[in-house]
């Protein structure tokens, strides 16, 4: 009985543990890049808004 439970536990760890490990590793590796991308998108949005106001000053809200 205990051997069967351990076998099922080992099988579940093999089935789900590896994908969880890979996902965690990729998340940690990509986190900095995602933060930089978000900052660049914010900067681009601000620059585009400033240029739109300069080009069409009467269209301000």
């Amino acid at each position: 009985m205990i051997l069967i439970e351990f076998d099922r536990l080992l099988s579940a760890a093999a089935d789900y543990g590896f994908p969880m490990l890979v996902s965690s590793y990729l998340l940690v590796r990509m986190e900095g890049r995602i933060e930089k991308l978000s900052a660049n998108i914010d900067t681009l949005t601000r620059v585009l808004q400033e240029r739109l106001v300069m080009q069409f000053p009467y269209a301000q809200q």
Side-chain angles (χ1 to χ4, degrees):
M1 181 92 174
I2 294 174
L3 184 60
I4 294 172
E5 294 291 328
F6 182 72
D7 188 41
R8 289 176 61 190
L9 180 64
L10 191 59
S11 176
D15 290 342
Y16 301 111
F18 180 72
M20 288 173 50
L21 179 66
V22 170
S23 299
S24 299
Y25 173 75
L26 291 175
L27 180 61
V28 168
R29 293 270 306 175
M30 296 293 290
E31 184 178 10
R33 293 178 186 166
I34 291 171
E35 288 174 359
K36 287 179 185 178
L37 180 62
S38 179
N40 287 336
I41 290 171
D42 290 340
T43 301
L44 180 61
T45 301
R46 183 178 43 80
V47 168
L48 289 175
Q49 286 176 347
E50 289 172 0
R51 289 189 182 181
L52 182 64
V53 168
M54 288 172 51
Q55 191 172 8
F56 302 105
Y58 54 86
Q60 274 186 318
Q61 293 181 349

